[in-house]
């Protein structure tokens, strides 16, 4: 698409793990620099108690890892559509609504985008998953309305939405030289989203594309779910998960699920959670493992462990085994993680992803052989077992990898230019 003047509006991809902002302006890259010359801003806030300030993105993670006393909040997007959205959390003795935390991050994203662009933005196209919440249209609508309300609060006047896989399709289409029937596979931190769409150099000039979109689908499964399964099955047994009490009952699992899920890690640090653990410790058949869990919680090292698990997941995309060092919990403690075990742990999730793709083909009335291209985007789309599953479903389609963290932001910028000039 040819642009002679800078667009009035930007496109924001507020992601579970990372966020980007796209803006079409001639002679410049579409994605704006958001932190230290990088196009992504990790969707993280850290409240530093010692220095009484808040940090965002990589700076937030760095201060947390440097050991400052404070509160780390990550995976904020996962709050949208959940029962937690109307709740609050304690930060330095104050109760902060989760809606406020979302506003804080979106506001920072807007400010950084405007600093990078050298101008203010009042119009925006926001990306959204095909489904914020599976099989619950009312909750899904509430999630979108919540995000729109927050966008208004931070200063946007004209707000619209585009499905994230459709935005990724528009980014891919900018480089095609012939007509293709493409399956867009967007595997983000919180959701897996898909679009079947006809793309071509001629079609991309059209403002109205509804006839080109054959089907969309999504499921609330993403990279953070892969992290959770790897943590629960590969790491948490070292801390007592699935061990027994003296009466042969299984150790209560809620603490482990909280620690393995990004947006609930802080729940493991409450007084009630600590009291419950102390009660169960007396009856633990393997108290040494509970001692490790106590150490993990006393150090408030849940986010550090989750980051280590996430790094292990990424490493297992390239190699068969990964050694996870846990010396900060206990000297010499480590965990050997294998790709095969990881793939076994996420197999039920991948089955649901595959079923969603199958329904997409059925909804469009297409056979697998009709798909020319599978376009992958999203930071979690590189998991080999996931790609193998898609390949098995669509054996004749060629695979193309886009900018895993930038395709959606670029596509939203294209849409913003079309909608707002």
């Amino acid at each position: 698409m040819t642009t002679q003047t800078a667009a009035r509006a930007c496109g924001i991809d507020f992601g579970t793990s990372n966020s980007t902002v796209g803006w079409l302006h001639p002679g410049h890259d579409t994605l704006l620099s958001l932190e230290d010359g990088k196009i992504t801003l990790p969707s993280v806030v850290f409240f530093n108690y010692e220095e009484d300030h808040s940090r965002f993105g990589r700076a937030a993670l760095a201060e947390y890892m440097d050991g400052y006393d404070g509160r780390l909040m990550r995976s904020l997007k996962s709050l949208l559509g959940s029962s937690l959205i109307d709740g609050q959390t304690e930060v330095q003795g104050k109760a902060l609504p989760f809606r406020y935390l979302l506003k804080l991050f979106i506001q920072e994203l807007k400010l950084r985008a405007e600093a990078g662009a050298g101008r203010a933005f009042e119009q925006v196209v926001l990306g959204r998953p095909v489904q914020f919440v599976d099989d619950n249209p009312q909750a899904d609508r509430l999630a979108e309305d919540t995000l729109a309300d927050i966008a208004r609060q931070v200063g946007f006047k004209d707000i619209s939405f585009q499905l994230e896989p459709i935005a990724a399709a528009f980014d891919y289409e900018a480089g095609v030289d012939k007509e293709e029937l493409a399956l867009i596979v967007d595997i983000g931190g919180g959701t897996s989203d898909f679009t079947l769409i006809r793309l071509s150099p001629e079609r991309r000039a059209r403002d109205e594309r509804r006839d080109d979109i054959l089907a969309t689908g999504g499921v609330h499964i993403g990279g953070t779910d892969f992290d959770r399964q790897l943590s629960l099955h590969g790491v948490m047994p070292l801390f007592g998960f699935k061990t027994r009490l003296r009466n042969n009952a299984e150790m209560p699992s809620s603490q482990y699920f909280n620690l393995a899920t990004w947006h609930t890690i802080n729940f493991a640090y409450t007084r009630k959670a600590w009291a419950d653990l102390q009660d169960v410790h007396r009856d633990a058949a393997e108290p040494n493992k509970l001692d490790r869990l106590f150490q993990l919680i006393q150090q408030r090292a849940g986010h550090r462990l989750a980051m280590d698990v996430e790094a292990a997941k990424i490493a297992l995309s390239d190699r068969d085994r990964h050694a996870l060092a846990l010396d900060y919990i206990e000297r010499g403690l480590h965990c050997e993680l294998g790709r095969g075990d990881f793939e076994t742990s996420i197999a039920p999730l991948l089955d649901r992803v595959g079923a969603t793709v199958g329904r997409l083909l059925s909804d469009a009335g297409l056979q697998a052989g009709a798909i020319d291209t599978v376009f992958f985007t999203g930071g979690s789309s590189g998991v080999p077992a996931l790609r193998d599953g898609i390949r098995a479903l669509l054996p004749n389609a060629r695979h193309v990898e886009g900018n895993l963290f930038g395709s959606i932001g670029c596509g939203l910028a294209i849409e913003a230019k079309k909608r707002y000039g």
Side-chain angles (χ1 to χ4, degrees):
M1 183 175 121
T2 302
T3 57
Q4 300 300 324
T5 58
R8 296 173 61 219
C10 66
I12 291 182
D13 175 22
F14 170 43
T16 302
S17 299
N18 292 279
S19 296
T20 63
V21 181
W23 177 47
L24 287 184
H25 50 313
H28 298 81
D29 292 337
T30 299
L31 293 174
L32 294 167
S33 174
L34 297 176
E35 185 179 24
D36 298 331
K38 296 180 173 62
I39 61 168
T40 58
L41 180 68
S43 303
V44 184
V45 183
F46 180 64
F47 297 95
N48 187 319
Y49 295 170
E50 295 178 43
E51 301 189 356
D52 195 26
H53 63 224
S54 54
R55 290 283 187 260
F56 301 86
R58 294 170 188 81
L61 293 170
E63 289 196 3
Y64 170 77
M65 292 299 289
D66 285 344
Y68 283 94
D69 184 29
R71 188 73 180 271
L72 188 74
M73 305 294 294
R74 190 175 174 182
S75 195
L76 298 171
K77 186 179 179 180
S78 298
L79 295 168
L80 292 169
S82 79
S83 59
L84 297 175
I85 191 62
D86 292 317
Q88 56 191 26
T89 188
E90 184 179 306
V91 176
Q92 213 163 4
K94 298 178 181 178
L96 291 187
F98 284 123
R99 288 174 186 267
Y100 173 78
L101 295 176
L102 284 165
K103 176 186 173 182
L104 203 63
F105 184 80
I106 298 294
Q107 187 171 51
E108 183 70 18
L109 199 56
K110 183 176 188 284
L111 289 172
R112 293 188 185 212
E114 291 175 336
R119 52 151 294 169
F121 290 113
E122 293 186 343
Q123 292 81 27
V124 65
V125 177
L126 289 163
R128 57 149 294 163
V130 174
Q131 296 184 50
F132 279 106
V133 184
D134 292 344
D135 304 319
N136 189 334
Q138 184 176 357
D140 187 83
R141 171 55 62 181
L142 181 60
E144 183 179 296
D145 290 345
T146 299
L147 187 53
D149 183 55
I150 289 169
R152 277 188 289 273
Q153 289 178 40
V154 304
F156 288 112
K157 294 181 179 178
D158 299 309
I159 301 157
S160 58
F161 289 87
Q162 179 57 277
L163 297 180
E164 289 159 0
I166 293 177
F170 293 158
D171 176 52
Y172 171 58
E173 187 180 41
V176 303
D177 56 11
K178 65 181 189 306
E179 180 158 321
E180 297 181 15
L181 178 54
L183 170 67
I184 310 300
V185 177
D186 169 27
I187 314 294
T191 58
S192 296
D193 295 307
F194 309 92
T195 289
L196 277 169
I197 185 169
R198 296 193 187 280
L199 306 173
S200 73
E202 295 75 28
R203 293 174 189 272
R204 67 176 171 239
R206 301 174 183 170
D207 289 335
E208 179 52 64
R209 300 297 301 273
R210 274 183 291 189
D211 291 342
D212 295 333
I213 300 166
L214 305 184
T216 59
V219 62
H220 206 262
I221 291 171
T224 56
D225 299 287
F226 300 157
D227 294 344
R228 180 171 58 246
Q229 293 303 107
L230 181 58
S231 181
L232 288 173
H233 291 272
V235 181
M236 288 300 167
L238 292 173
F239 297 88
F241 182 55
K242 293 289 187 182
T243 58
R244 297 284 169 176
L245 303 178
R246 289 199 177 96
N247 64 3
N248 206 37
E250 192 171 279
M251 177 73 185
S253 62
S254 60
Q255 285 287 72
Y256 301 103
F257 277 88
N258 281 339
L259 287 165
T261 305
W262 278 109
H263 62 283
T264 61
I265 289 171
N266 289 308
F267 293 168
Y269 305 146
T270 64
R271 293 184 183 89
K272 182 181 185 306
W274 183 252
D276 290 345
L277 268 183
Q278 288 179 315
D279 285 344
V280 81
H281 184 276
R282 291 189 288 269
D283 297 318
E286 299 180 64
N288 62 311
K289 293 184 177 179
L290 268 292
D291 291 339
R292 290 173 185 159
L293 182 61
F294 279 16
Q295 185 72 9
L296 174 66
I297 292 172
Q298 283 180 318
Q299 291 186 22
R300 298 204 167 203
H303 284 93
R304 180 174 180 178
L305 179 60
M307 284 187 271
D308 285 344
V309 171
E310 182 183 36
K313 175 193 68 179
I314 294 168
L316 290 172
S317 292
D318 296 319
R319 61 178 75 106
D320 290 332
R321 302 201 67 76
H322 178 78
L324 183 61
L326 298 168
D327 296 275
Y328 56 91
I329 301 298
E330 178 185 302
R331 179 175 293 182
L333 184 65
H334 69 282
C335 183
E336 286 287 333
L337 299 171
R339 181 191 287 184
D341 294 332
F342 170 53
E343 291 179 350
T344 298
S345 73
I346 65 172
L349 301 179
L350 297 183
D351 287 344
R352 290 176 60 196
V353 170
T356 303
V357 173
R359 283 196 300 274
L360 201 70
L361 291 170
S362 177
D363 290 345
L366 293 171
Q367 299 295 317
I371 309 304
D372 300 307
T373 305
V374 179
F375 179 76
F376 289 97
T377 189
S380 300
S381 67
V383 173
L386 184 142
R387 294 204 178 191
D388 290 345
I390 300 292
R391 185 175 288 107
L393 288 169
L394 305 169
N396 299 325
R398 71 188 186 104
H399 284 197
V400 176
E401 182 174 297
N403 182 331
L404 297 186
F405 297 100
S407 287
I408 293 170
C410 287
L412 291 171
I414 293 171
E415 189 71 358
K417 173 70 173 178
K418 285 186 175 180
R419 293 184 184 184
Y420 299 109

